[in-house]
Every structure is written in structure tokens, then in C-alpha cells.
Amino acid sequence: MIEPAGFGLPLPEDCFRQLFERSADAILLIDGDVFIDCNPAAIALLGCTDKAQVQSLHPAMLSPAVQPDGRPSFETANEMMAIAMRRGSHRFEWMHHRMNGEDLWVEVLLTAIEWQGRTILHATWRDIGDRLQLEAQRQEVEKALQRSEQRMRLALKAAQTGIWEWNIATDHLEHFSDEAKHLFGLTDDTFDGTWATCAKAIHPEDVRRIEQAIESAIAGTTAYAADYRVIWPDGSIHWLAGRGDVLWSEDGKPLTMVGTVQDITPRKEAEEARRRSEERFQAFMDHSPTAAWMVSYEGQMLYINQTYLKMFTLPTPDVVGKSLFDLYPKEVAAEFLHNVQTVIHNRRLLATIEPIPLPDGTIGDSLVYKFPMSDGSGQQVVGGIAIDITDRKRAEEAIQDYADRQTLLNQLAHQIRNSLNLDTVLETTIQAVRNLLEIDYCGFCWVLPETDTPHWEIVQEAKNDHAPSLLGEYPLRLVGDNVVQQLIQQQMVWVDDTAQCSDPVFQALLMESGVQSVVLMPLRTHSQRIGCLIGDHFQQVRPWTERERDLLQSVATQLAIAIDQAELYAQSRAQSEELQHALQELQRTQAQMVQSEKMSSLGQLVAGIAHEINNPVNFIHGNLAHARNYVQDLLALMDLYQQEYLEPTPKIAHYAEEIDLEFLREDLPKLLASMRVGTERIHEIVRSLRIFSRLDEAESKPVDIHDGIDSTLMILHNRLKARPGREEIRVIKEYGSLPPVECYAGQLNQVFMNILSNAIDALEERDQQRSIADQQAEPSTICIKTQVMPDHQVSIHIIDNGTGMLPSVRQRIFDPFFTTKSVGKGTGMGMSISYQIVTEKHGGTLECLSEPGKGTEFVIQIPISKAIAELS
């Protein structure tokens, strides 16, 4: 129980805990990345009917998809929670949505706390207006609660226990466990087995109490139970709890005492810390700027803090225990009691704005929250807090008065910053400023103090009919050195009344121009040019208010940014084109490196597979000849047996008939022959794989081009075969007599693979739209022609009779990342890399000839020898 200072009525701590937990602040708990709990204030703030609508939701699910600053809510929410977990807490502003779709701006404080052995996030939401008061209260109460809970957990944590058995007659400890020795600060060297040694460690103030407890237990009055302190050799003090019982002889004499000793230091420390925490909590409540109270269903005041007494005018400070009708006028007390009973009946938070008298005699406003809670004994009571929002209300009125003007400023800033034309920016700005301030004249000038003839030049103006035009150049000496220095130092210059101007030079200029009031707002661009907004009033004196000067400062800032944008626009266009070209080149190079690495890995894989297949196949193929000879010998032996023994025994005749001997003699040679055909086919496949991978030909060397083409076709054989819904793709070879060509065989095979794969893709895509009859009438074909060219080059033509290409596609066929295939079926790098292999690696050419409806032909020409390629 906690006794509030000065009021006399004890109050359980959990009542204070509930007062905190039912705070008007919206509080939510986040485990992982979802809400696991929230308080009634959060439910009311979101417009929910039950916390179940919030539980298990990610914070982004209660937010718009994108925050007002353009960041995605989901990723940003995860980032905020990660920062909070890393730092321990994180404060930021966030837009949520209420359940009815309304925007809800809150200030969020995420705090990492320990809960049930893991770290979770404690989230507090506040409306922006009153976040400072409510946040301070929530943080302080939360800290006090966390400290209290931590001490409670420490107090409840089980301590290690020592066991002992004491022979009363001999004063010898028959058993004293190692843990018991540790708790007394003893070791095997310092413990002699007697109770007297243990007693020396007991705090002197506790010795007599222990002796009395032992005497009472030996006398049979009570069981042994005592809490006491021990002093360890290092001087530290520890609290122990001793418990034990006496074992009696048959004649009723005490023999031994058996018991335990337990370290209760954490519990004792926790009890002391808890006492101090309760005192601090009470002090916090009394010094909180928020008034707090509790009242019973019948209207009896159970608790108030000191702020309540200061905020509300009461007839007496002795409030606890009194009825509402003793403290307030009858009508006010009746309304108060009605609200209390309504809250208890509805079990829902009630928020109201109620008037409060202020010390200056005026009436202010207070934001009052009343919520149901338990007083610790099971009785339902109402807790409440009240916040003085008088200053906030007055501030809101002042802000509203300025809102329209600020809205216009924001619109102006948006317009000028979205334009990249300097004249348009200046014209828009000065026209808006003149209309906004309702002045006779507004202009913009460039201040040029560093030129041979220092001057300023007014380049844009907006004026009413009776104001003169001031466009043109003017010597800076007419303005005066003082004003020029202020403009250079970016200081605003304003004169409410020309007659009162303290600078005689500037005053003379104003009077000559007929200006009654003037304001000059300088700005500096990124290129260090000095500009100036000019505001003149000719008809009468016009004071410049602080708000207007702040407004001009904001306009000048936005205008400087817009001017910088316009100046940088031309530079950025040229740089953008250069960077775009560099980026494309970088992407192409990166893709080539990736593709090269992939092909290298593929080549190693293919060569490895070919090698592993080749070894067992060679073993099988090599033994087939021997197996055939052995079978022939056995069959000849059977023939000889049949000639020599014309009549076999019945058992042999029966078995020969059972195994169908004649069929075996006829089929076994055929079986061996088919096995030989299979191994030869495997040899061909392995040879094709080895030729395609060309691991041993990483350098340029003379090779048979036809072998590379045939190996590629062998690998693609499965795609060429007929399948359900598609006839076979026929391959026509028209090979010329080619000499060995010096080339990078593996890379050239990659070119063949890319071109042939694309041709098969094109034919398959066309055949999907044709019937089997149409496919049979006009079969899909790929024709491969090779020949020697007169200029010591060889040409390879790969021709398909597919649908062909549009000119726009053909022109880009070799561009990096260009593909006509659907997403996921092509990278757009195959033909680009093929083009580079042919042109850069081999000094040749790669052309694409195609027309819609007439198929496609790729022509590869490369020199026969490397010397010719280098020469070309």
C-alpha cells in the first residue's frame, strides 16, 4: 500500500500503475514488427472499437502507402523500428490513418524495453499540438514503472540455497554444503566445521536475534526462521534467510537442527528500492504539470496530486475522503458524478474540454480524460487527468490567423521552384509578393558591386498604374555604402517612413523617387550572385510587420533555390547526356564480364561432365568386343554339344524350352550390337560437348569451324526434335571446303549457340500459331552455309524461314540489353556479346538481314588467320 503524502488514505501501488496504463496518451506495444497490445487512448485515437483491430498489424497497415515526404511507409516504418532497437529509443513524426480514413499526424516515440525475456518496442503516439506535455508525463511514468517492474522481477528471482545440519550437543556442523559456505563468505580453508565459525560472519546487530530464534526452536516453541546479514571477508554485506527444524530424540531431547540458508540480498535490495521508487513516483505525480485524481462510484475523492489543487479552485486542501458535493457547486458536482458513473457503466474512456478559472481572473480550457480502473481491492473507480490547454488554444488561434498567408507562400514557392526559366521565376515571384503584401511596387534587381562601375540593375517589376517604372541600371553610390554593405552581408533593409530614415544618402534617393516606405530583401545564389527583392509604397507610409519581413525572408530563400535550379539546368543537361553514355558503357561492360564468367563456368561444367561420362562409357565400349567374342564362342560350343549329343536329357530339354533357347541364340547378338550403337552415340555426344566447351583452346588456334557448328547442333538436338503440337525443325547443312580457321573456338561456339537458339525461339513462336498441317506444308528450317571468301576470310550464313524482323527491331538487334522476348526469358546481352566476339576478338563482321515475313539471315565473316585479322 502507498500512502499519498499529506492525505492519509493508503493507496495500493497497482492503482498508480493503472493510472499510468490508462493514460490519455496512446500507447502501443510492438513485438517484432507488429502491434501486440494498445491502451484505450490508442483505440480512441484510431477510432477503433476494440484493440483486436490493431493487434497483429504492421504500423504501415495503419498508414498511407507513402508518407507526405515521399518515403514508402512500410520500408520507413521498418527503418524507424530498427533505429529504435539499435539506439534504445527513437522519436519522429508520422502520418497514420484512422479507421474512418482520416489522416492522423502523431509524434511517435519508440522505446526498446525488456519484456518476458525479449526486447520489444513501446510506442507512444501524440497529437502534434500537445505532444510536449503528454510525452514528458508518459516518459516519466514509464521510466518509474520500468524501474519498479525490474526490481519486482529481481525480488522474485529464485536465489541459490545452501543446506546444513547442526549437531546441537557438539556444536559441530555435520553437513554444510559448498553453497552454504559461499553464502557465509567461507572457504574450505577458513571453515572448521563449527557453528561458532559461521556465527562470526553474522552482522553484530543481528547476532542476538539469531540466538533468540535458535533458542526458541530448541525449546520447541517455534520453528527456526530468521533473516539476517552476514559480512564477507571483502567487507560486503549480504542478506540471508535461515530456515530449519529440530530433530528430537525418543526421550524428547533436541539432537540436531536441519535447515537451509538462502541469499535474499536481491529481495532485500528490491524491497528497499521499491520503497524509494514509490516515494519517487509519488513525488513525480505531485510535481507533474498534469492534474491527476481518482474518485469512487459514489463520488468520494480517493486521490489527488498537488497539481490538481493548483489547477482547480477548491474550498479546502483536505480533499481525500470528501464527496464531490462538498467540493464543488451542486450543478458542477452532479455533472461530475454523472460522468464518473457513465465511465464505469460504459467501461470506456471519456474525453472532454472543460473550463478552468485562471489566476488573472479569465477562463481557460482544460483537456480532461476520465477512465475506468480498479482500486486494487476489486472496486471499480474512475481515474482522471486534466491538462491545461489554454496556451495551446490561444496558439492555435494565432496560427490560424497566419495560415492563409502561409498557404499562399507555399503555393508561390511551389510555382517558382518548378520553373526552369529565370524570367518566368522572377515575374511570378514579384507579382505574387506585390499581391500578397498589397504594395504599390515590387521589383527584382541584381547587385553588382565588383564591376568596373558598381551598380544595380532592376530586371523585373510589378506595379500599379500610378507607380513609376524603375527598370534599368543605377549606380550603387546613390544607395549609399551602409545599405550596400547590408545587402552584401545578406541583411534585410527596411524603412517604415522615409521621413524617419537614419541614412541621409538612402533617404535622399527615396525622397527623390517619391517612395514613402521601402523594404529590400537580399539573396545570394549558388554562383555567389547577389539579388534583391524590392518592395515600395508610394501613396502613404506603410509599416513593415515582423510577419511580413519573415514572409519576404522565406520568399527570398525559395527564390534563390529557383534561380540556382534555372542556372544549373543548362549544365545538368550536358552532364546528363555524358553520364548516360558512360552508364550505358559501364552496364554493357559489366554484363559482358558476367556473361563471360558464366560461359567459363558452363564450359568447365560441360567439360567435367563429358570427362566423367567418357570414362565409364570407354570401359563399356571396350569390353563389348570381348563380350561379343565370348558369346560367339559359347554359342559355337552349344552347337557342338547339339551335334555330338543329339538327344539331350529330359532335364536339359525342359530347361532349354523354359528359357526359349532358340530366341536367346538369335537375340543375344542383336542385344550386344544395340549396346555398341548406344555407346557410339554417347561418344558422339561427349565429343560434341568437349568441342563446344573448348577448355583447351582458350587461346586463338586453328580449328575446324564445322566441328564447332556440329557440336552446337548436337547440344540443341533436343530442341530441334518434333514434340506434341510442333513438327521437327529441319537443319540443312551446305558446308563448303574450309581450311582450319585461327580463332577463339569456345567464344565462336557461343556465337553459334546464341544465333541458333534465337532462330529456334523464333520458329517455335511462329509454329505455336500454326496447325500441324501448315507446319508439314511449310516446314520450319534452319540453313547453315559456309564458304571461303576471296579476301582470305570465311563466311558462315545461318538462315531461318521464320517471321523475320521489323526494321526498328533489326536496327537495335546488337544493342546491349535489347530483347524482344518476354520478361524472364532473355537478358538482351546475347547478340550484343556475339557482335563483340566477332568484331573485336576476331576482327570480323556480323550482319543481320531480315524483312517481315521473309525470315532472318545472320552473316558471320572472320579472317582465316590471326595475322589477317590484326592487319584488318
Side-chain angles (χ1 to χ4, degrees), residues 216-361:
S216 178
I218 294 176
T221 306
T222 60
Y224 169 68
D227 296 344
Y228 52 93
R229 292 164 292 177
V230 295
I231 303 174
W232 283 14
D234 60 3
S236 60
I237 297 176
H238 300 262
W239 276 93
L240 303 180
R243 302 292 184 269
D245 283 313
V246 176
L247 299 181
W248 305 87
S249 65
E250 293 182 356
D251 56 359
K253 294 181 179 180
L255 297 177
T256 61
M257 283 184 66
V258 177
T260 63
V261 60
Q262 186 178 29
D263 186 353
I264 58 170
T265 304
R267 189 186 79 193
K268 289 291 186 177
E269 292 175 348
E271 290 173 353
E272 177 61 20
R274 181 173 179 177
R275 183 188 62 79
R276 293 195 300 269
S277 173
E278 290 170 351
E279 292 176 352
R280 287 194 297 269
F281 188 81
Q282 183 62 52
F284 162 76
M285 292 301 296
D286 285 339
H287 292 86
S288 171
T290 301
W293 72 90
M294 282 191 294
V295 61
S296 69
Y297 182 85
E298 295 78 15
Q300 183 183 32
M301 295 297 293
L302 302 177
Y303 167 78
I304 63 169
N305 64 354
Q306 292 297 323
T307 307
Y308 188 93
L309 290 174
K310 298 174 183 177
M311 184 177 295
F312 298 97
T313 302
L314 299 175
T316 174
D318 188 14
V319 174
V320 175
K322 286 186 168 52
S323 169
L324 294 174
F325 292 91
D326 297 332
L327 303 173
Y328 297 98
K330 182 177 180 181
E331 296 78 8
V332 176
E335 180 65 20
F336 199 153
L337 181 61
H338 173 72
N339 289 339
V340 167
Q341 295 176 348
T342 299
V343 168
I344 292 177
H345 285 306
N346 295 338
R347 296 181 179 275
R348 294 180 62 181
L349 176 75
L350 178 63
T352 57
I353 295 180
E354 301 177 4
I356 56 172
L358 299 177
D360 60 3

Side-chain angles (χ1 to χ4, degrees), residues 371-610:
F371 45 85
M373 59 184 296
S374 172
D375 67 353
S377 63
Q379 295 296 320
Q380 287 296 308
V381 299
V382 168
I385 59 174
I387 306 166
D388 187 349
I389 60 172
T390 304
D391 292 339
R392 189 188 78 180
K393 282 288 202 179
R394 293 175 178 175
E396 287 175 352
E397 293 173 358
I399 291 173
Q400 186 61 39
D401 181 55
Y402 187 63
D404 295 338
R405 193 181 295 267
Q406 192 65 31
T407 299
L408 291 176
L409 172 64
N410 292 336
Q411 292 175 350
L412 173 63
H414 178 73
Q415 291 174 1
I416 65 177
R417 293 188 66 181
N418 282 343
S419 175
L420 296 176
N421 184 283
L422 183 56
D423 291 336
T424 302
V425 169
L426 295 177
E427 181 181 353
T428 302
T429 302
I430 61 176
Q431 187 63 52
V433 170
R434 194 182 81 84
N435 295 337
L436 194 62
L437 299 182
E438 298 179 350
I439 55 179
D440 296 335
Y441 181 93
C442 184
F444 179 84
C445 71
W446 291 109
V447 181
L448 306 168
E450 303 295 336
T451 59
D452 294 337
T453 56
H455 65 280
W456 69 1
E457 181 181 4
I458 300 177
V459 296
Q460 287 284 352
E461 65 180 7
K463 63 186 186 65
N464 57 22
D465 294 336
H466 66 267
S469 174
L470 301 178
L471 292 175
E473 296 183 7
Y474 302 88
L476 284 181
R477 58 181 172 77
L478 297 178
V479 182
D481 292 339
N482 291 336
V483 174
V484 171
Q485 288 302 315
Q486 286 180 279
L487 297 179
I488 292 175
Q489 296 172 10
Q490 298 296 290
Q491 297 176 2
M492 182 187 299
V493 177
W494 76 92
V495 177
D496 294 336
D497 183 356
T498 298
Q500 303 296 324
C501 180
S502 60
D503 187 327
V505 178
F506 192 43
Q507 184 184 42
L509 175 64
L510 297 177
M511 295 182 68
E512 181 181 351
S513 304
V515 176
Q516 298 293 323
S517 301
V518 66
V519 61
L520 304 178
M521 183 62 242
L523 60 87
R524 190 184 298 273
T525 68
H526 187 71
S527 59
Q528 300 304 309
R529 298 177 70 189
I530 300 174
C532 182
L533 282 170
I534 306 170
D536 291 337
H537 212 60
F538 292 90
Q539 295 179 324
Q540 59 190 12
V541 171
R542 185 196 188 287
W544 307 99
T545 66
E546 183 178 357
R547 286 183 179 178
E548 290 172 336
R549 297 197 300 270
D550 291 342
L551 184 65
L552 281 174
Q553 178 70 61
S554 300
V555 171
T557 300
Q558 299 297 330
L559 180 57
I561 295 173
I563 294 174
D564 289 338
Q565 287 180 325
E567 292 178 343
L568 292 175
Y569 177 64
Q571 302 175 18
S572 65
R573 292 185 62 181
Q575 293 176 352
S576 175
E577 293 176 359
E578 182 179 348
L579 290 174
Q580 184 67 24
H581 177 73
L583 177 61
Q584 291 177 353
E585 185 65 21
L586 178 62
Q587 289 176 333
R588 183 177 66 84
T589 304
Q590 183 181 19
Q592 290 172 359
M593 294 175 63
V594 172
Q595 185 70 11
S596 176
E597 185 65 24
K598 287 169 58 179
M599 292 306 298
S600 174
S601 300
L602 178 61
Q604 294 179 7
L605 176 63
V606 168
I609 293 174

Side-chain angles (χ1 to χ4, degrees), residues 83 91 172 182 215 220 395 399 432 528 541 671 687 763 773 852 865 867:
I83 292 174
R91 187 191 301 273
H172 184 73
H182 171 72
E215 292 171 358
I399 291 173
Q528 300 304 309
V541 171
L671 178 63
R687 179 175 176 273
L763 293 172
S865 69

